[in-house]
Amino acid sequence: MTVIARVPRGSFAYWEKRFAPYPQLTDAVLPVHYLDCPDSGRILGFVRQPSQTPMIDLLQTPDAIMGSFRANTRNEIRRAEREAVQCRAASGFDKFLALYEAMSTQKTLPPTPRGYFESLGKHRCVTEATIDDKIVCSHVYVADRSVGRVRLIRSASLFRESEHEERQKIAQSFGGQLRLEANYLSAALHAYRVTHDLYRRARDI
């Protein structure tokens, strides 16, 4: 199954398709961005963006999963337990957005419209870490149970790191096996982005 979400960008919007086995040729003429696909090489009508994804098998025992973490990460987890940090699943994303928007006043962050999260529907998972019931960190994941995939897509915290830096740290500290994958940008969406960028530059001259 492919997770499909609508990504609004002002008056424009495009479709995000995640975990698809292969980009559909008919989508080449539509504004579509395929993410986290098997790397199938070049595909007519799409711009290929190769990537490496660290994969963790969650069917392992908790001890095996914990054992794959970096030593420093395991120590940080034990320290959080001693300091009574609580981790929980959230029923919605309003608190995440509030934390994200507060963080965006200090850092340059990609836009995160409410409509995007709403379009994820049942595939959206939100987690929170709290101290004394105060949320200090929150993550949004996209999950597809039919293919057994979960992917972190947004982070927000009270810490100084940017969202990109925090996600990089998460990816690097939890181990896993690197898998070669690719994102595919439809020709239509690629053309729109190039044209929009040229227009913006001309306007700023």
Side-chain angles (χ1 to χ4, degrees):
M1 182 176 180
T2 302
V3 177
I4 303 175
R6 183 177 181 273
V7 186
R9 287 287 185 268
S11 59
F12 175 76
Y14 66 91
W15 295 99
E16 181 183 279
K17 296 189 176 183
R18 197 177 292 267
F19 309 139
Y22 194 84
Q24 297 296 311
L25 183 58
T26 52
D27 282 339
V29 296
L30 300 174
V32 179
H33 197 185
Y34 280 85
L35 299 171
D36 305 321
C37 299
D39 191 348
S40 302
R42 288 189 173 187
I43 298 178
L44 180 66
F46 292 88
V47 177
R48 174 175 168 266
Q49 304 165 321
S51 64
Q52 291 185 327
T53 305
M55 303 287 288
I56 300 174
D57 182 5
L58 298 181
L59 295 179
Q60 300 177 90
T61 65
D63 287 342
I65 294 174
M66 184 81 159
S68 67
F69 298 168
R70 289 183 176 179
N72 186 54
T73 300
R74 295 195 297 271
N75 292 335
E76 288 177 350
I77 291 173
R78 296 187 184 100
R79 177 183 174 184
E81 291 174 342
R82 292 194 300 270
E83 295 180 353
V85 176
Q86 300 293 316
C87 297
R88 64 194 183 195
S91 58
F93 55 85
D94 286 341
K95 292 181 179 179
F96 166 83
L97 279 179
L99 185 61
Y100 189 89
E101 290 169 1
M103 192 172 69
S104 68
T105 61
Q106 302 176 6
K107 309 176 181 74
T108 302
L109 299 174
T112 305
R114 171 179 292 272
Y116 171 63
F117 291 127
E118 291 174 342
S119 70
L120 286 170
K122 65 180 182 180
H123 300 288
R124 180 188 65 245
C125 300
V126 184
T127 62
E128 300 170 344
T130 66
I131 299 177
D132 296 330
D133 209 35
K134 178 181 180 180
I135 299 174
V136 295
C137 184
S138 183
H139 300 295
V140 179
Y141 301 83
V142 57
D144 186 351
R145 292 172 177 81
S146 67
V147 297
R149 287 286 302 268
V150 179
R151 181 68 184 251
L152 173 68
I153 57 173
R154 287 289 189 276
S155 301
S157 72
L158 297 180
F159 311 125
R160 297 182 65 87
E161 291 90 348
S162 69
E163 186 204 25
H164 176 73
E165 290 170 339
E166 185 178 355
R167 289 173 64 186
Q168 284 292 101
K169 286 186 176 181
I170 291 173
Q172 295 171 1
S173 63
F174 287 93
Q177 299 294 320
L178 285 179
R179 176 185 294 181
L180 295 178
E181 294 193 310
N183 302 327
Y184 289 94
L185 195 69
S186 71
L189 184 55
H190 175 67
Y192 168 81
R193 289 185 175 180
V194 171
T195 303
H196 181 72
D197 186 56
L198 290 174
Y199 168 75
R200 186 176 56 188
R201 291 183 182 182
R203 184 190 58 190
D204 294 340
I205 292 177

